[in-house]
Amino acid sequence: MIQIGIDYYPEHWDASLWEKDLAQMEAIGVSCVRVAEFAWAKLEPQEGSFDFAWLDEAVEAIARHGMKVILCTPTNCPPDWLYRQYPDCLQWNTEQGPTYTGIRGHRCQSSPVFRGHVERIVSALAQRYANHPAVYAWQLDNEIETNQCVCPSCREKFQAWCREKYGTLENLNRCWGTDVWSGQYSDWSQLRPHTKLAGYQIGWYNPAYILDWERFGASVTAEYAAFQAGIIRRYKPDAIITTNACFSPVNQTDLHLEFQSLNVAAYDNYPPVRLPEDSEEVYSAAFGLDLIRGLKRKNFWILEQLGGPGGCWGPMAPNLEPGMLEGYALQAVAHGADLVSFFRWRTAVSGAEMFCHGLLDHSGKPNRRLRELCQAVQTLQKHPYLDKTTLVSPVALLYGANQAFALRNQRQSDGFRYWTQPQLLHEACGNLGVNVDVIEEAQSLAGYHVVLVPVHTVVNAKTVENLYAFARDGGTVVLTDRCGVKNEYGNCIGGEELPTVFAALAGCHVEEYDPIGQQKQEILGKNGKTYAITSWCDLLQCDSAEPIARYLGRYYDGTPAITKNSYGKGCVYYIGTVGEKAMYRDLLLEIFRALGIAVQEQLPRGVEITTRSGEGGTYRFTFNNTAAPVCFPLGGEEIRLKPLEMRIDVM
Ligand code: GAL
């Protein structure tokens, strides 16, 4: 069975309400309850003096109702007494001193002093609960973002990390290219953490240094998660441990690295409540879900699923449209979620998130959203073997934290974002009914027929090698603009035309490029169609490749924009620009047809199809991810779907 969970904060409510809440959850068919996420102060009101009575009672009550517990380490919210007594636990945003806004999450993940306190609270929890029969799994901390702290401890660790990586300062200076602007370092102590100084744009700094600073932060975060997991495993070696990742283009860590020490990949899924009117905007949550499944190439969990309108730090978001709560939860399942836990049961009546709504409003009375949750559970109960299936994908899409780090700090043109092209390619697959795995760039490509390589800017040697071998052996590779731009240190590869290391594979090179930013232009495909393009234009020169689309207008009218090359037994496409959705859809359709990959050609915009298969059977999920009803033919039938409606067909 796919498991349904609830994020519950017993410490926010009078214990007299617990019974009622848990009985209701049980009646709905909830199987697990996530607790204790931010409750450090309640668990350890004074240093070394624990109060587990309330949690014991909550765990027992959950168990009495036949549900399992996902227990959280509360380390995102150290108590006030701890910060006061041990200011070394605090995160520093500037080198002038710690940041303490009195809200949450301002701990330094690397501070040895903080780690000592983490060790105490996590050990105490693990000792008491790890072998409790009701405790099913553990969530570490909350949405652990890349460590950005610049405290003295982080500074020293950054210096040591650089020393370990580069050995000598000469080497570091060479690899970082510090000759520019007298940037040479002559002593390790000169290496400083990157502080976001007011008025200074990140683009002023040496990008190679910033890239390593980001990598260092991600390594601290991964090590912080591994440290916590290690404590729990001391008490229960086979504990199921995870953390709730979020998809944040601004401060996302290297999730692949972070989850290496954890047992299951897990995600907080908050899809948009207001669907954009611009049909070209990519908003589907599907990309994030496939990325999380790709972390372990296994099914995953949702630890926070949209349960009500948000409104914690900004104005309240619109309420969920009818169908949204159920549709989005089933969309997560369609992409491989085996457990979906909703954020949260009751809406808090106090604290910063009092208007960040859970399933129930402040009244606590059953409502439309709860009824939808019941419906989602009933839908899933009709398919009890779904958890014995997964997504088998003919297509891999490569993503890399290094690319995200490099590109978020150095926009390539006005409005250019790393995620745009991966998401456009990804969405086209879903709209053609083709499963796609979003995998870390250096992973094995065995078993795939097509590999999409959007914006592989920072060259990873292993990836390059894999791609050449993949095409040689008959695979199809799709490269895009900004591939092959930089070496592994984040400096431009000089002396070769773009796409440098990929040129032989693509059979073309970039003669000039035009970073057109928000401007709109057009290309004409060999298929006779014109497509709107924006953001970037590589003016391509074919070597062995043939052009399959050319620019229209400007001084490069007629210049190749998209090419196709034969390489070994395979085929390589190079997309030199950023197109409208139809461009990706038509191109991928041509590729899939040529390879005999089954496609659904007639899906309207915004309709996504994925298939889960395995021991438990084969299930086709058809999701209308738009605000309008749709009607279309599928497998000889006329399908009608309401806004955000999911249809599950047993095949
Ligand atoms: C999540 C976070 C939750 C809660 C929620 C509100 O990112 O993990 O604790 O703040 O956002 O939408």
Side-chain angles (χ1 to χ4, degrees):
M1 262 302 284
I2 300 292
Q3 305 195 65
I4 294 295
I6 294 289
D7 302 331
Y8 193 51
Y9 297 87
E11 70 279 17
H12 295 184
W13 310 105
D14 192 275
S16 60
L17 281 178
W18 300 357
E19 215 23 63
K20 184 180 165 203
D21 288 347
L22 295 171
Q24 245 177 314
M25 293 179 208
E26 183 187 4
I28 291 172
V30 167
S31 62
C32 48
V33 182
R34 187 192 74 168
V35 292
E37 196 192 27
F38 298 118
W40 194 339
K42 274 271 190 190
L43 292 166
E44 192 183 8
Q46 285 172 37
E47 185 172 354
S49 142
F50 296 104
D51 176 8
F52 290 122
W54 67 272
L55 188 55
D56 286 353
E57 215 181 299
V59 167
E60 291 308 328
I62 294 166
R64 262 200 317 278
H65 286 279
M67 297 181 288
K68 297 178 283 190
V69 172
I70 298 179
L71 195 57
C72 301
T73 66
T75 49
N76 187 277
C77 278
D80 197 68
W81 62 254
L82 190 143
Y83 282 140
R84 303 281 168 199
Q85 260 169 267
Y86 303 98
D88 284 355
C89 296
L90 279 164
Q91 179 178 320
W92 291 30
N93 283 344
T94 70
E95 288 189 280
Q96 276 67 56
T99 310
Y100 183 47
T101 53
I103 308 170
R104 71 177 187 188
H106 23 244
R107 71 272 182 263
C108 165
Q109 295 168 25
S110 93
S111 151
V113 181
F114 180 55
R115 292 284 183 97
H117 296 287
V118 169
E119 168 111 36
R120 188 180 60 251
I121 182 72
V122 177
S123 302
L125 277 168
Q127 189 172 21
R128 194 169 188 93
Y129 298 107
N131 292 294
H132 191 294
V135 173
Y136 171 53
W138 291 78
Q139 173 190 307
L140 307 180
D141 208 283
N142 169 64
E143 295 188 343
I144 319 175
E145 293 176 318
T146 266
N147 185 59
Q148 296 282 346
C149 179
V150 304
C151 75
S153 154
C154 287
R155 182 174 66 219
E156 270 171 42
K157 290 204 166 83
F158 178 54
Q159 290 165 355
W161 185 90
C162 290
R163 218 176 176 133
E164 165 85 23
K165 177 166 179 177
Y166 294 103
T168 64
L169 274 176
E170 292 68 38
N171 192 31
L172 176 139
N173 280 319
R174 193 174 49 78
C175 294
W176 281 7
T178 55
D179 287 341
V180 175
W181 292 356
S182 285
Q184 292 93 339
Y185 298 94
S186 52
D187 192 284
W188 291 103
S189 66
Q190 293 162 359
L191 288 174
R192 315 295 290 184
H194 174 68
T195 58
K196 296 195 173 85
L197 288 178
Y200 279 85
Q201 303 225 4
I202 200 152
W204 287 97
Y205 295 88
N206 179 352
Y209 148 73
I210 296 291
L211 181 58
D212 267 344
W213 169 245
E214 295 261 21
R215 285 167 168 157
F216 162 73
S219 76
V220 169
T221 299
E223 199 265 317
Y224 173 60
F227 166 74
Q228 290 211 15
I231 301 171
I232 298 167
R233 289 196 186 111
R234 258 185 247 148
Y235 298 90
K236 187 170 169 59
D238 61 348
I240 302 174
I241 306 172
T242 184
T243 187
N244 54 336
C246 62
F247 184 62
S248 136
V250 202
N251 207 10
Q252 185 155 309
T253 190
D254 183 338
L255 294 177
H256 192 256
L257 196 64
E258 183 182 17
F259 277 92
Q260 267 171 15
S261 64
L262 308 181
N263 304 88
V264 188
Y267 183 49
D268 287 353
N269 190 32
Y270 291 100
V273 286
R274 188 184 280 138
L275 300 186
E277 277 161 27
D278 177 1
S279 60
E280 282 301 314
E281 210 169 298
V282 186
Y283 57 84
S284 175
F287 181 81
L289 297 165
D290 281 346
L291 188 149
I292 297 298
R293 193 184 70 253
L295 294 177
K296 293 210 169 279
R297 295 172 87 167
K298 279 195 185 135
N299 290 357
F300 60 95
W301 294 354
I302 299 291
L303 288 171
E304 293 182 15
Q305 172 72 24
L306 179 70
C312 356
W313 308 293
M316 283 184 243
N319 198 354
L320 278 58
E321 296 283 335
M324 211 167 234
L325 185 135
E326 182 183 7
Y328 279 153
L330 296 177
Q331 185 195 24
V333 174
H335 287 268
D338 279 349
L339 182 157
V340 181
S341 190
F342 284 82
F343 187 83
R344 49 185 282 167
W345 183 249
R346 290 170 180 272
T347 302
V349 291
S350 61
E353 290 198 333
M354 61 168 73
F355 295 121
C356 178
H357 298 77
L359 289 159
L360 303 182
D361 289 327
H362 295 118
S363 69
K365 299 279 184 270
N367 59 10
R368 176 172 65 84
R369 297 197 297 277
L370 195 68
R371 285 194 293 278
E372 261 195 43
L373 169 60
C374 297
Q375 236 167 270
V377 177
Q378 282 159 16
T379 303
L380 291 169
Q381 281 169 344
K382 286 189 208 138
H383 305 294
Y385 303 113
L386 252 178
D387 62 324
K388 311 260 174 318
T389 64
T390 190
L391 284 88
V392 179
S393 308
V395 181
L397 188 151
L398 306 193
Y399 114 93
N402 277 316
Q403 317 302 342
F405 293 161
L407 289 157
R408 74 177 169 214
N409 294 324
Q410 237 187 349
R411 293 273 174 97
Q412 300 294 285
S413 68
D414 184 22
F416 192 107
R417 287 165 61 245
Y418 170 50
W419 300 107
T420 306
Q421 294 178 74
Q423 286 180 312
L424 282 164
L425 283 160
H426 178 270
E427 181 168 300
C429 294
N431 192 233
L432 290 166
V434 175
N435 286 357
V436 48
D437 291 349
V438 179
I439 60 170
E440 204 271 339
E441 56 195 15
Q443 287 189 21
S444 159
L445 303 178
Y448 295 113
H449 299 287
V450 180
V451 178
L452 308 173
V453 194
V455 203
H456 187 84
T457 271
V458 179
V459 168
N460 174 309
K462 181 84 186 120
T463 309
V464 177
E465 191 188 312
N466 287 350
L467 288 170
Y468 272 85
F470 181 75
R472 199 178 303 124
D473 295 343
T476 297
V477 176
V478 179
L479 301 163
T480 73
D481 56 286
R482 310 319 282 147
C483 276
V485 175
K486 293 182 163 195
N487 64 19
E488 61 180 296
Y489 302 108
N491 290 317
C492 283
I493 299 177
E496 291 173 58
E497 283 153 320
L498 287 166
T500 67
V501 294
F502 294 114
L505 193 61
C508 68
H509 64 268
V510 178
E511 240 184 7
E512 272 188 81
Y513 51 68
D514 189 8
I516 61 171
Q518 316 273 357
Q519 204 171 305
K520 294 261 190 295
Q521 293 181 190
E522 279 186 334
I523 56 167
L524 173 64
K526 231 174 117 179
N527 58 8
K529 293 192 196 171
T530 54
Y531 302 99
I533 54 151
T534 187
S535 194
W536 191 271
C537 299
D538 276 337
L539 315 189
L540 301 173
Q541 180 81 41
C542 290
D543 301 317
S544 53
E546 52 157 325
I548 58 168
R550 294 176 185 273
Y551 292 104
L552 288 176
R554 308 270 320 276
Y555 57 92
Y556 38 93
D557 185 70
T559 305
I562 306 178
T563 60
K564 176 182 177 185
N565 189 39
S566 295
Y567 187 88
K569 293 189 208 140
C571 191
V572 182
Y573 290 79
Y574 184 95
I575 307 176
T577 187
V578 183
E580 62 177 298
K581 289 182 180 179
M583 182 189 96
Y584 297 96
R585 193 181 176 282
D586 289 351
L587 184 68
L588 289 176
L589 180 58
E590 178 190 316
I591 294 173
F592 295 153
R593 270 198 198 134
L595 293 171
I597 294 172
V599 288
Q600 303 295 346
E601 288 184 36
Q602 61 291 43
L603 303 182
R605 177 190 69 80
V607 172
E608 304 167 351
I609 291 192
T610 53
T611 306
R612 282 182 70 143
S613 57
E615 223 183 280
T618 300
Y619 303 81
R620 185 178 64 200
F621 292 79
T622 309
F623 183 46
N624 174 15
N625 199 353
T626 72
V630 288
C631 173
F632 54 95
L634 182 66
E637 230 189 292
E638 187 180 78
I639 308 281
R640 285 174 188 279
L641 293 175
K642 294 199 275 281
L644 298 146
E645 184 178 348
M646 173 68 83
R647 176 187 160 115
I648 306 176
D649 290 296
V650 182
M651 307 301 284

